[in-house]
Amino acid sequence: MRFPFCFCLFLSMLHFTDGCHVLGHSEFKEVTGYTGGSVLLPCSCSDPLSTVETFNWNHYYKREDQWTEVFQDKKYKNRLKLFNQSSPANLSLLISDLRKEDEGDYNCYTSQTYTYVRVTIKGCDLDQNKPAAEITGYSGESVVLPCSCTELQAKPEQLTWTFTAPNKNSEEIYPHEQSERVTGRVRLLNEISPGNLSLQISNLTKEDQGEYRCSVSSQQHINIRLCVQEELYFQLICLLTHKPAKHREESTTTQHTGGITRKQPQILH
């Protein structure tokens, strides 16, 4: 009875020292990510019980025509995560805070096998074919200046909003407020979609009237013209100062017409 038990134990030991054969050896996988987001590069041993002595993730730089180990590359600092500590056969790589330069070919390489992953990164591009927008706002109210990436899941690597008043130089109002005039009155509306770059300006004044520019790079921007009116307040003043006369459905006299009795309203001044 001892011989079969020892034999099975021996086979089990062979199984655990067999090493990692990468699932999908020498195959190409494709994944897509968005700037500012994360992407998972899949890689795992074909046998979940196998052990991994050494393995590397490398990124191919076409310009230098060479492979570089990602964990030795400073541009990936604090942006990489492996899963092999909790699951030794899972060699997948998570890259966060994606940038356009992260695009390209990667390989997961063990001492015996390897697999390739081609990563495509979609960035923030503005639709510059649209004509310059003209927005009207009212003093004391809020207004939204529209601007967005063509890919709403993409976050721009840089973003600036500038304002140019008539006959004055332009000034940055987001993310750095160069004028105390707009302090606490501007905010982005991108809580849900990182590609929504629209800017809200509250408590409008006539000084907010002028040209606004949303820029994600030196080559990509859109312009918006804002006109601030006080018409809304004039309408409210007119409504408050011209109240209609009150009528009471009571009368001291009645009028008979064709057998129909009608009460004459009494106007109260």
Side-chain angles (χ1 to χ4, degrees):
M1 295 295 295
R2 292 184 177 180
F3 177 77
F5 174 77
C6 294
F7 182 70
C8 292
L9 180 61
F10 176 72
L11 291 179
S12 177
M13 292 176 64
L14 286 179
H15 178 83
F16 276 95
T17 58
D18 191 33
C20 173
H21 292 270
V22 171
L23 186 65
H25 168 59
S26 74
E27 291 182 356
F28 251 108
K29 304 180 182 70
E30 295 188 10
V31 297
T32 300
Y34 299 88
T35 52
S38 300
V39 70
L40 182 66
L41 280 54
C43 181
S44 61
C45 304
S46 55
D47 186 345
L49 298 179
S50 56
T51 57
V52 184
E53 295 181 1
T54 60
F55 77 97
N56 289 313
W57 272 101
N58 304 293
H59 182 200
Y60 177 69
Y61 285 91
K62 187 175 182 179
R63 187 163 44 188
E64 289 84 7
D65 190 25
Q66 65 179 11
W67 292 89
T68 301
E69 186 178 347
V70 296
F71 282 96
Q72 300 299 323
D73 194 333
K74 294 181 179 179
K75 79 169 189 175
Y76 292 104
K77 186 178 180 180
N78 300 323
R79 298 196 296 127
L80 303 177
K81 179 182 179 182
L82 288 172
F83 298 86
N84 63 319
Q85 292 184 352
S86 57
S87 179
N90 184 359
L91 313 179
S92 300
L93 177 69
L94 181 71
I95 308 176
S96 58
D97 190 20
L98 288 171
R99 305 159 188 175
K100 281 293 290 183
E101 61 182 358
D102 297 330
E103 192 171 69
D105 294 337
Y106 293 77
N107 71 9
C108 174
Y109 182 84
T110 70
S111 59
Q112 301 180 18
T113 52
Y114 57 89
T115 187
Y116 293 102
V117 181
R118 177 160 292 170
V119 178
T120 300
I121 307 296
K122 295 185 177 181
C124 175
D125 295 311
L126 300 180
D127 187 356
Q128 301 182 91
N129 295 324
K130 295 181 179 179
E134 295 188 2
I135 307 294
T136 299
Y138 298 93
S139 295
E141 300 297 314
S142 298
V143 70
V144 174
L145 307 181
C147 181
S148 63
C149 307
T150 53
E151 294 284 351
L152 288 178
Q153 297 182 60
K155 179 182 179 180
E157 296 186 21
Q158 65 179 42
L159 168 66
T160 55
W161 274 95
T162 57
F163 167 65
T164 306
N167 302 320
K168 292 185 178 181
N169 295 327
S170 62
E171 60 182 17
E172 184 176 329
I173 60 174
Y174 184 89
H176 306 292
E177 300 171 353
Q178 294 180 339
S179 172
E180 295 182 358
R181 184 183 57 82
V182 296
T183 300
R185 297 197 297 123
V186 297
R187 72 182 185 97
L188 284 185
L189 300 180
N190 62 348
E191 290 87 352
I192 299 177
S193 301
N196 182 3
L197 315 179
S198 300
L199 187 75
Q200 183 184 59
I201 307 176
S202 59
N203 195 22
L204 286 172
T205 69
K206 288 292 289 185
E207 293 181 337
D208 295 322
Q209 184 167 281
E211 300 283 341
Y212 292 80
R213 171 170 288 188
C214 171
S215 304
V216 296
S217 69
S218 58
Q219 293 82 27
Q220 291 201 61
H221 57 264
I222 61 171
N223 297 321
I224 299 173
R225 179 175 300 170
L226 174 64
C227 177
V228 179
Q229 298 182 1
E230 298 180 356
E231 178 183 350
L232 182 61
Y233 283 91
F234 291 145
Q235 292 176 352
L236 290 175
I237 292 173
C238 290
L239 289 174
L240 293 173
T241 56
H242 295 81
K243 295 181 180 180
K246 295 182 179 179
H247 292 74
R248 186 174 64 185
E249 292 295 327
E250 294 181 7
S251 176
T252 55
T253 61
T254 58
Q255 179 180 2
H256 297 274
T257 305
I260 300 177
T261 303
R262 297 177 178 172
K263 294 182 179 180
Q264 300 298 319
Q266 183 178 6
I267 298 178
L268 300 178
H269 297 283

